């Protein structure tokens, strides 16, 4: 299959991860989408062939990585897109809060580079539980990391701990949407103590792609952005803009 030029990558613990990842929040019908959440759930989670179609479209546009919330329903749709395109995606996986064991099994069957704990787990701040999961993730051969839904409260605690993780998936956008205290989060990320991947960079559709992604990649701590899209048209617009922005600092 003919595809456009791929996005550049960054490295963490020797693993290369694309600086643009296809996000999977629309595929779940995540609550941040408000009234559209149920529509997305019906369209994608209950009809996984629509997930496959969007993944294929994204691959054609040069996207070679996905931030996958590892429900088996979504993982199977991603695998089907790989079969149809012949392209193996780089996976940064998140363990579903309600099905973490299943999630880890799914990720072991993909080209997974890193595995992140779900924000619901991270934000509990049970450091013993987090440490136990990080050890399991490393034993499985992956770079460990966390997602957080309360970055202004959670990051100051876990970054001062001795926990062994390298990646953070963090809400990060120009609107401050779901970031808590935006300035606190921006300052933490700018210090670059870990490798940060921005989620919700478009603030669930509240921001235009150009202004949103220019802001995200202006912060030196942000190494990648996971961008969810719901239509082929959104994919073409968003990933074209992302490529133009990243070419300014093409690795």
């Amino acid at each position: 299959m003919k595809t456009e030029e791929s996005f550049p990558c960054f490295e963490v613990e020797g693993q290369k991860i694309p600086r643009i990842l296809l996000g999977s929040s629309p595929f779940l019908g995540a609550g941040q989408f408000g009234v559209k959440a149920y529509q997305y759930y019906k369209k994608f989670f209950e009809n996984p062939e629509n997930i496959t179609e969007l993944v294929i479209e994204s691959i054609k546009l040069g996207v070679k990585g996905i931030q996958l919330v590892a429900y088996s329903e979504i993982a199977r749709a991603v695998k089907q897109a790989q079969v149809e395109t012949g392209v193996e995606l780089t996976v940064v996986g998140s363990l579903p809060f309600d099905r973490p064991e299943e999630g880890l099994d799914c990720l072991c069957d993909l080209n997974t580079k890193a595995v992140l704990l779900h924000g619901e787990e991270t934000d509990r701040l049970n450091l013993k539980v987090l440490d136990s999961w990080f050890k399991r993730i490393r034993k499985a051969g992956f770079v460990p990391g966390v997602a957080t839904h309360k970055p202004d409260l959670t990051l100051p605690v876990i970054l001062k701990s001795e926990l062994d993780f390298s990646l953070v998936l963090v809400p990060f956008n120009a609107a401050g949407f779901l970031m808590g205290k935006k300035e606190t989060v921006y300052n933490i990320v700018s210090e670059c103590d870990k490798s940060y991947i921005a989620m919700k960079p478009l603030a669930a559709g509240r921001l235009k792609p150009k202004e949103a992604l220019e802001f995200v990649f202006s912060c030196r701590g942000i190494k990648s952005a996971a961008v969810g899209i719901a239509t082929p048209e959104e994919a073409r617009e968003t990933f074209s803009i992302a490529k133009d922005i990243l070419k300014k600092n093409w690795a």
Side-chain angles (χ1 to χ4, degrees):
M1 170 181 287
K2 184 177 180 180
T3 64
E4 293 185 13
E5 186 178 17
S6 299
F7 287 88
C9 294
F10 75 98
E11 286 197 19
V12 56
E13 295 190 15
Q15 299 291 340
K16 291 185 177 182
I17 296 174
R19 298 199 68 196
I20 286 290
L21 300 168
L22 176 64
S24 56
S25 291
F27 304 156
L28 301 169
Q32 71 232 33
F33 296 107
V35 295
K36 290 184 177 180
Y38 183 66
Q39 298 171 18
Y40 287 163
Y41 182 85
K42 299 290 287 185
K43 178 180 180 180
F44 294 115
F45 201 83
E46 293 190 351
N47 294 277
E49 66 275 10
N50 291 327
I51 297 176
T52 298
E53 178 184 345
L54 269 183
V55 174
I56 289 173
E57 181 64 27
S58 299
I59 289 171
K60 290 178 180 178
L61 295 167
V63 177
K64 298 300 191 297
I66 183 167
Q67 201 290 299
L68 176 65
V69 182
Y71 286 101
S72 58
E73 296 87 344
I74 301 176
R76 285 194 294 268
V78 171
K79 288 181 185 179
Q80 183 59 35
Q82 293 183 149
V83 169
E84 294 186 26
T85 61
V87 174
E88 187 177 45
L89 294 170
T90 295
V91 176
V92 175
S94 296
L95 300 180
F97 180 66
D98 55 340
R99 289 149 64 179
E101 302 288 345
E102 175 190 297
L104 190 57
D105 287 343
C106 287
L107 292 170
C108 287
D109 199 30
L110 291 164
N111 182 32
T112 302
K113 303 299 183 184
V115 174
L116 316 178
L117 299 183
H118 194 280
E120 292 288 338
E121 187 67 75
T122 306
D123 294 335
R124 289 180 170 187
L125 291 175
N126 186 325
L127 301 190
K128 289 185 178 179
V129 171
L130 297 181
D131 180 61
S132 177
W133 268 111
F134 293 152
K135 288 175 180 175
R136 285 190 63 183
I137 290 167
R138 283 212 179 274
K139 187 175 181 180
F142 307 125
V143 177
V146 298
T148 175
H149 299 149
K150 300 177 180 179
D152 57 330
L153 301 176
T154 295
L155 292 180
V157 176
I158 63 173
L159 291 174
K160 289 180 181 178
S161 73
E162 296 182 358
L163 292 171
D164 176 26
F165 68 101
S166 295
L167 275 174
V168 179
L169 181 66
V170 59
F172 198 86
N173 54 75
F177 178 66
L178 299 182
M179 290 176 62
K181 295 179 181 178
K182 178 183 175 183
E183 185 176 352
T184 297
V185 177
Y186 188 89
N187 288 339
I188 290 172
V189 172
S190 296
E191 291 174 359
C192 304
D193 289 332
K194 302 290 181 181
S195 293
Y196 292 91
I197 299 175
M199 63 175 167
K200 304 175 179 64
L202 306 186
R206 291 165 174 79
L207 300 172
K208 298 295 184 182
K210 188 174 187 297
E211 63 173 309
L213 293 173
E214 284 181 342
F215 171 81
V216 165
F217 287 112
S218 72
C219 180
R220 65 193 182 97
I222 296 293
K223 304 300 183 183
S224 180
V227 186
I229 49 95
T231 67
E233 293 75 22
E234 286 182 8
R236 287 190 285 271
E237 177 190 17
T238 303
F239 295 136
S240 174
I241 289 170
K243 192 163 289 185
D244 288 342
I245 291 169
L246 286 171
K247 277 185 177 178
K248 297 175 183 177
N249 297 299
W250 199 268

